[in-house]
Amino acid sequence: MDFELPHPGVLWVRAVVTDLLFAAFPGDVYEPGELAECVGETTVVAGGRLDTEDCAGNWFAVVRYPGDRAVLFGWDRENNVYDKPYDPRAAAPEWVRAIELKAHHPRVLTADAVSFVRWWENDHWSSTPTEYDDGLYMCLREIAGPAGLAYRVEQAHENAANVAFDDDTLKDLDHVGLDELTSLTEAAERHEVCEEDLNFLEPEVARAAYDYLRQAGITFGAPQTVEPLPAGT
């Protein structure tokens, strides 16, 4: 099943914010240092590349290139193309075929197994047609759909209400409402997150979160890094 994907920059922001929300509200008792280390655990950002996984064997990567170009690729275990004679890059332009499609995340076991590929060029996504389900929908449905990030925010809010934090080491996050989380996600989609947007977090976690968002290019004034295109393309 295929569906309309948003701009690659939107996918990027939603993956980063989703990772941050669930690091901030893990649903268990953690020491402050352990919580800070959770920020950026499921999503790895390096330069113009983002790799994210869901701890269930499914993953995807977004890589940004000059000229508002990008490649989205990954693997979902629900795909039906793994044993078919299907090349997801058969219809791709030369610059896409020259890119190494491999996960750069330490917990991805199927790092070189790709079931779907999409490329963004000339303001739209393209793909190699197939009659089979390549796993894209299952892998990205929760963050790519129009209500995806709102759903994630509501989940994080519900988690926050159920967290039993140690009062001696962490502030009680039960008071955090949807307004605070929605404000953060809206600022992230504008690439205008400020340190004040993270004031609802314990200070050590907030510092780690801000550094992570700045590295991802989502804080106010942070550069939008891209990867170089393969030589000769």
Side-chain angles (χ1 to χ4, degrees):
M1 177 179 182
D2 211 342
F3 66 117
E4 186 174 353
L5 288 166
H7 188 279
V10 174
L11 287 178
W12 179 287
V13 168
R14 290 180 178 178
V16 170
V17 171
T18 294
D19 188 30
L20 172 59
L21 292 177
F22 282 88
F25 308 125
D28 207 339
V29 177
Y30 287 76
E31 294 296 325
E34 292 176 326
L35 269 175
E37 291 170 3
C38 288
V39 175
E41 183 174 340
T42 62
T43 298
V44 175
V45 176
R49 181 187 180 103
L50 176 151
D51 293 72
T52 188
E53 56 87 32
D54 66 357
C55 301
N58 310 306
W59 63 273
F60 71 86
V62 179
V63 189
R64 303 185 297 198
Y65 294 98
D68 193 31
R69 285 185 279 190
V71 173
L72 163 69
F73 59 94
W75 166 273
D76 189 276
R77 59 184 179 179
E78 299 296 325
N79 81 81
N80 293 321
V81 299
Y82 69 94
D83 59 349
K84 306 293 192 303
Y86 170 66
D87 177 4
R89 286 192 289 183
E94 181 180 353
W95 68 272
V96 176
R97 294 196 300 271
I99 295 168
E100 179 186 18
L101 301 185
K102 187 173 182 178
H104 291 179
H105 194 291
R107 286 206 302 271
V108 173
L109 301 179
T110 55
D112 56 352
V114 172
S115 66
F116 59 83
V117 179
R118 302 290 187 273
W119 54 95
W120 176 269
E121 189 174 28
N122 299 323
D123 295 323
H124 70 274
W125 289 105
S126 299
S127 64
T128 300
T130 177
E131 61 183 297
Y132 306 110
D133 184 351
D134 63 4
L136 174 76
Y137 174 72
M138 288 297 295
C139 196
L140 282 94
R141 69 192 189 283
E142 289 188 356
I143 69 168
L149 192 54
Y151 171 71
R152 292 290 196 176
V153 169
E154 290 177 2
Q155 280 188 313
H157 178 245
E158 182 178 344
N159 284 354
N162 295 324
V163 170
F165 285 108
D166 183 342
D167 291 337
D168 293 332
T169 56
L170 293 174
K171 69 169 65 175
D172 182 3
L173 292 180
D174 289 352
H175 69 282
V176 176
L178 284 173
D179 288 345
E180 288 90 344
L181 299 180
T182 300
S183 176
L184 170 62
T185 56
E186 289 176 350
E189 292 207 349
R190 297 192 305 268
H191 297 83
E192 294 180 353
V193 174
C194 299
E195 292 183 74
E196 293 77 13
D197 293 317
L198 302 169
N199 282 345
F200 61 89
L201 296 174
E202 196 276 336
E204 187 170 353
V205 181
R207 286 192 296 271
Y210 185 77
D211 289 344
Y212 174 48
L213 295 179
R214 181 172 54 192
Q215 179 187 2
I218 295 175
T219 57
F220 185 81
Q224 304 297 300
T225 308
V226 297
E227 295 296 294
L229 283 166
T233 57

